[in-house]
Amino acid sequence: MHADTTTTGRKAAALAAFKDLARDPGVPKPDPILVVDNVVRRFGGLTAVEVEHVEVQRGSITALIGPNGAGKTTFFNQLTGFDTADSGQWTFNGSSMNGVPPHKVARSGMVRTFQLTKALSRLTVLENMRLGAQAQKGESFWRALVPGFWRQQEDEITQRAEELLVRFKLDAKREDFAGSLSGGQRKLLEMARALMVQPELVMLDEPMAGVNPALTQSLLGHVKDLREQGMTVLFVEHDMDMVRDISDWVIVMAQGAVIAEGPPDTIMSDARVIDAYLGAHHDAPLSDSELEEQLHQAEAALEAEIEEETQK
Amino acid sequence: MDWVTIISTTVKAAIGVETVLYALAAIGINVHFGYTGLLNFGQAAFMAVAGYGLAVSVTVLGLPFWVGIAVGLAAAVLLAIILGIPTLRLRADYLAIVTIAAAEIIRLVFRSVAFKDIFGGSDGRRGFSNGFYALNPFPEGEYGFGWFTFNHRVTWVLVVGWILVALSCLIVYLLMNSPWGRVIKAIREDEDAVRSLGKNVFSYKMQSLILGGVIGALGGFIYGLAFASVQPDIFGTETTFFAYTIVILGGAARVLGPVVGSMIFWVLLVLINGLLSGAVEAGYITFMNSTQVGPVRFLLVGVGLILLLIYRPQGIFGDKREIAFDAR
């Protein structure tokens, strides 16, 4: 029962925060964890990302969607330090993050996963997990030589890793090489490993890509679980069913810019979003002859339908 | 054919000076390539700066033996830093190109006429090892048992050499079973994943490059001290490639792989040399003469390496499952 109340509590809190927000791109949120201003990234003549202003609400699950080539992953790379933005600034928990190298971004509590999973193949599942833990004494060269310095901390890390592995149903695989896992299990492992960092903001780049449908539900559950534990989730996804299912708020990107924001159940009916996905004139006829053809097609379809009905 | 000599020299090679110095070079390569995934093709340069650091300090500058050792080690660390700063942020291939070029530059500087006063040109330097042999606790005579019998000088070099090999293996074992080694092995698998988990990849790669370089430098000292001289052409690219052969033969990313690899490598080399020269002298082989035996045995080493990579790519100690995941 207790779990149920907190579940509804967190989700309700997130939804309440979004309730009266405008649907405009860059709308201010009540309690933003991540604030982005004027981030621009150009590759030669191509402007891949040009985001004027966007905020991510703390404790929510925010989806970042957009057609192929909209710059979602590039935007992720800018925010996490994996690529350097040409200009712009962004703050995480109030501290400025532009120009910060990726490992420091992760240490500050903003951890990402990758579109193409990066399981460390020739390390065991458990070693993959242990790697995620921060401030390990045994990771300094000289202290590593004396196991006494880090043994106790290693035991604590192992315990935490095993708890997470149980939660992600990977505990049976703990001693297997990560390279022997299936695609979906690797996604699970990558998410579990990111949690070892104990992040505040988890950034998932297409968590469902290449995952078999049987695992999708379990992955969805884990993403929702992150919010229940007080983390903020920002994820890139193409699958609209999933976006509708788990997100509290949706940010839409197209051609590098944020074009719309809104709650998941209404965002896909927003005119700007439809234009971005299907093109602005997708339902307008191009010429008179085409208009006529469309009419003929509609009539033919109607006739066929009537014929079918009468035959019954 | 003199079977006793052939077999006794072969058996001696299993623990001989070459085995020791190549084992050290290969342990360094194993840290770089086997564990960290760094393609260092300039291991010979680390050996060279160490050997010459010692030689020049003692002969040209007149410094004591121990200062020479310190200079050699410092030179290896410095070389690692200079090579690492521009290349470790880039892809692995760049390190390979830069290290092989740097190793050749260093060799050519050591053998150049312009610096003959310092490095001794193509003759190299000699007469710097007295400080080492002054420490020799073994009185003059022969030591060992059976075929493993060496004179007091070689015995001293071998004792020190094998202690260094054992220490290097111990350090590698301790490090690679620690969280530090976990980060290093993870970098070999995927740098970006390691960055995303809050580790400073550049710093770890630099530490690895320095560690492997310093272990290789120990091999350079052993060479200089055992033969009481250093020449530039000893530290050519083939030295590095022998070390790579040894690492792959023994099994990459295995603590004892390079040591066993080095033993097998030199036993085979000496055995083939003995058999071929014996057969040529006895007239069994008529299509080559005794001076051609040297090149032919290296030709056979190449064939052996190719067969090894085809039939047992994981080496002697390797785990075949690990190779299967290496889909890059």
Side-chain angles (χ1 to χ4, degrees), chain B residues 61-249:
Chain B
L61 304 175
L63 297 168
F65 170 72
W66 285 110
V67 178
I69 294 286
V71 169
L73 289 176
V77 172
L78 194 68
L79 178 64
I81 293 172
I82 291 171
L83 289 179
I85 285 174
T87 53
L88 288 182
R89 290 180 204 279
L90 305 170
R91 270 202 340 256
D93 351 12
Y94 292 99
L95 183 71
I97 296 165
V98 170
T99 46
I100 199 168
E104 280 299 276
I105 290 170
I106 286 170
R107 184 177 70 85
L108 292 171
V109 167
F110 284 158
R111 92 195 297 282
S112 66
V113 179
F115 295 109
K116 200 170 189 333
D117 294 342
I118 307 169
F119 301 121
S122 57
D123 296 335
R125 284 276 163 213
R126 55 181 64 249
F128 53 86
S129 55
N130 293 339
F132 177 72
Y133 289 108
L135 298 168
N136 189 352
F138 299 102
E140 220 163 296
E142 297 279 312
Y143 294 89
F145 53 91
W147 280 326
F148 294 107
T149 310
F150 302 94
N151 70 33
H152 62 289
R153 281 170 74 95
V154 177
T155 307
W156 176 226
V157 172
L158 287 181
V159 166
V160 172
W162 281 105
I163 288 174
L164 290 177
V165 169
L167 270 179
S168 303
C169 285
L170 178 70
I171 287 173
V172 170
Y173 172 82
L174 285 173
L175 283 174
M176 293 310 161
N177 285 289
S178 77
W180 188 88
R182 183 160 63 221
V183 178
I184 287 291
K185 285 182 264 183
I187 289 172
R188 174 189 70 197
E189 301 299 310
D190 196 313
E191 285 180 24
D192 278 345
V194 180
R195 280 194 190 96
S196 78
L197 296 170
K199 321 287 175 198
N200 187 348
V201 169
F202 177 77
S203 158
Y204 281 99
K205 280 161 89 172
M206 185 62 95
Q207 291 172 38
S208 165
L209 193 62
I210 293 173
L211 174 68
V214 165
I215 294 175
L218 300 178
F221 290 140
I222 292 294
Y223 178 87
L225 295 173
F227 299 99
S229 66
V230 283
Q231 300 93 32
D233 294 337
I234 292 302
F235 305 111
T237 43
E238 68 273 15
T239 305
T240 303
F241 292 127
F242 286 169
Y244 266 91
T245 308
I246 286 166
V247 169
I248 294 166
L249 183 65

Side-chain angles (χ1 to χ4, degrees), chain A residues 145-222:
Chain A
L145 289 167
V146 187
F149 276 122
W150 47 266
R151 203 52 98 190
Q152 195 194 344
Q153 192 191 25
E154 182 86 345
D155 291 342
E156 290 161 17
I157 290 168
T158 306
Q159 200 193 341
R160 201 151 61 79
E162 291 191 335
E163 284 165 14
L164 274 170
L165 285 177
V166 171
R167 212 168 93 202
F168 282 79
K169 296 200 174 58
L170 286 170
D171 46 326
K173 299 265 181 195
R174 59 198 291 273
E175 296 300 339
D176 291 6
F177 283 120
S180 71
L181 299 180
S182 75
Q185 286 170 328
R186 287 183 202 199
K187 288 269 180 197
L188 284 172
L189 173 61
E190 204 182 8
M191 202 186 290
R193 192 176 65 195
L195 295 188
M196 284 297 290
V197 185
Q198 296 182 309
E200 282 182 69
L201 173 63
V202 184
M203 303 177 64
L204 307 170
D205 196 350
E206 300 206 20
M208 296 298 153
V211 176
N212 92 50
L215 266 175
T216 312
Q217 278 310 314
S218 128
L219 256 169
L220 282 177
H222 289 303

Side-chain angles (χ1 to χ4, degrees), chain A residues 48-68:
Chain A
V49 171
E50 193 167 13
V51 173
E52 264 179 38
H53 184 83
V54 78
E55 298 183 0
V56 174
Q57 167 72 11
R58 191 187 307 277
S60 72
I61 300 180
T62 303
L64 182 62
I65 66 169
N68 286 327

